[in-house]
Every structure is written in structure tokens, then in C-alpha cells.
Amino acid sequence: MRAHARVVAEADGRGGTRLAQLRGETPLLLRRTGVAAGLDAGWATVHLVGGAAGPLGGDDLRLDIDVGPGARLSLRTVAASIALPSRTGAPSHLNVRVTVADGGTLHWLPEQTVAAAGCRHTIAASVDAGEGATLLWRDELVCGRHDEAPGDLTVSTSVTYAGRPLLRQRLDVGPGADGWAGPAVLGAARATGSLLHVHPGVAPGAPRVLGPTAVRVPLAGPASLTTATAPDAHALRQYLCLAAPDPAPVPLLRPP
């Protein structure tokens, strides 16, 4: 299945945000919802609704997000995404392309991606943030369903701020990734994730240990990155809650 979804958020000139475009195709269905808890009325909140199971092997999915100057967009998913295999063994792909203009704000806070046994899934995100843009970007990965070994899954994220590289990271898990379960990568952890916070004008602070397997570090820009591993999705979310910015949108980072 091939599907393309797009959301364009613009300032409405009255302190709010309007959705100039909100278009989706099964299984990428976009729905505007009420303003998320912890945010004011100037925000637009959109949920990505899975219109079908998956992603399933063979799917080629693309999501484009554009946030204009002064616009504030919170984009979430209604449930975890389970990457499933196909009978043919074909891979599946999700490409997320994001532009946040100077003065725009994006909270990308999806639920977890679960790498089910036998899957061959790739998630590639590319973010271009203008100088003065604010970004909160969360990624969470769970290796297999309950009592199940994971399939092959790759998550890569590329973030550019004011035309300069800010973050390049990639993680491969599953039987096709050598050493992914070794002590240098996940070890015995079943879940891993990160929270990137880009906030112009706010110092990212010194490195901080949040727990035995979680740390927040400053980046070479107005940003900090928290990375964590955990035995399950609940423990992982708790670590990322500790890394929430100040003032913290705690309801947006609540444990699953």
C-alpha cells in the first residue's frame, strides 16, 4: 500500500493556528482534535489515526509536516504502531519530512513503534528547522511484542537547524543488525527512545544522568537530547518524562 499524508499549519493572525491543509490516505489519516492538555488555545492539535493495521510489509508511507512562522502544532498518534511482516517478506517504509519556519513550534509526540517478529521496517525522519524554531521530538521503539523476538527495524533521524546539522542518529535492531542486543547498544533492554528539545534563547544546560540507563546531553545548538533504554515501554516513558522541558508539557509526555 502507498499512502501520502500532509499537514500545513499557519498562524491565523489572531494568536491562534489554522490548518491550511490536512490531507491523508489510509492508513495515514489525520484528524484535528481538541487542544491537548497543558497547551493554550493558540495551538492546533492533530492526531494520526491508523486506518488499517500495520505498517505492513510492502507499505510505502510518507508524512509531510509544514509549520509556518508563529504557528504552533502538536502532532500525536492515537495508539502504538506495530510494524508487521508480509507473506512475501517485502520491506515497509515510513518517511517523515518536516519543515518548521523561524518562529514556528512543533511537538512531535507519537506513541511507540513496535517491531513485531519478522518485520522489515524503516522509519526515516528529516527535519529542517529555521533559526528561531522550537521543536520537541520524541521517538520510542519497542523490540517485539510480549515474549517475542523483534523483526528488523531501522530508525534514522536527521535534524538541521538554521541551515546547520544539529542531529544525525540511526538505530538498527533485529536479527539483521549485528550486535544490536550487545552491551554497546541495547543489552537486555526491550525498549529505547529519545527526546530532542530545541528551544532558541534557552541554554540547554549541563549533561545530566536521569537514571541508570538514561542521560540528557546538550547539543551544539540551542538544544538538548535525552536518550534512554528500559525493560519496557512504561519505564522508557518515565525516563523521557524526567527530561521534559521547563515549563514541562507533562500531560503530553505522560506514561502509556
Side-chain angles (χ1 to χ4, degrees):
M1 180 181 295
R2 297 176 64 90
H4 180 203
R6 188 179 187 207
V7 55
V8 178
E10 298 177 347
D12 64 5
R14 302 185 301 276
T17 300
R18 70 183 186 94
L19 298 178
Q21 189 172 155
L22 190 67
R23 178 175 64 84
E25 298 173 329
T26 303
L28 299 179
L29 301 179
L30 297 169
R31 298 289 185 266
R32 181 163 191 169
T33 52
V35 177
L39 302 179
D40 60 43
W43 287 76
T45 301
V46 173
H47 276 75
L48 183 62
V49 180
L56 182 66
D59 286 354
D60 188 0
L61 311 176
R62 175 177 166 182
L63 172 62
D64 293 336
I65 305 168
D66 293 297
V67 181
R72 291 178 287 172
L73 174 66
S74 175
L75 207 158
R76 304 179 54 126
T77 60
V78 297
S81 175
I82 302 177
L84 298 168
S86 69
R87 293 182 179 179
T88 65
S92 54
H93 305 273
L94 170 62
N95 289 289
V96 183
R97 301 181 183 181
V98 180
T99 300
V100 185
D102 183 6
T105 301
L106 172 65
H107 286 180
W108 167 254
L109 298 167
E111 297 303 313
Q112 302 83 8
T113 297
V114 181
C119 76
R120 295 175 57 204
H121 186 52
T122 299
I123 304 171
S126 176
V127 182
D128 184 8
E131 189 167 5
T134 300
L135 179 68
L136 192 62
W137 187 276
R138 183 176 70 198
D139 281 316
E140 294 175 312
L141 169 63
V142 178
C143 298
R145 293 167 290 192
H146 178 68
D147 200 25
E148 174 187 70
D152 289 319
L153 194 144
T154 296
V155 182
S156 65
T157 305
S158 173
V159 181
T160 299
Y161 178 79
R164 299 182 297 274
L166 178 68
L167 176 67
R168 301 285 189 272
Q169 66 177 13
R170 169 175 167 158
L171 175 66
D172 297 89
V173 302
D178 292 339
W180 72 274
V185 189
L186 296 188
R190 297 277 297 175
T192 184
S194 64
L195 182 71
L196 172 66
H197 185 215
V198 181
H199 198 319
V202 177
R208 178 185 171 194
V209 176
L210 302 174
T213 57
V215 63
R216 183 175 66 193
V217 297
L219 299 181
S224 63
L225 177 69
T226 298
T227 55
T229 61
D232 54 46
H234 183 81
L236 175 65
R237 183 67 62 83
Q238 288 182 317
Y239 277 141
L240 298 185
C241 284
L242 293 175
D246 187 20
V250 174
L252 295 179
L253 299 170
R254 64 185 183 275

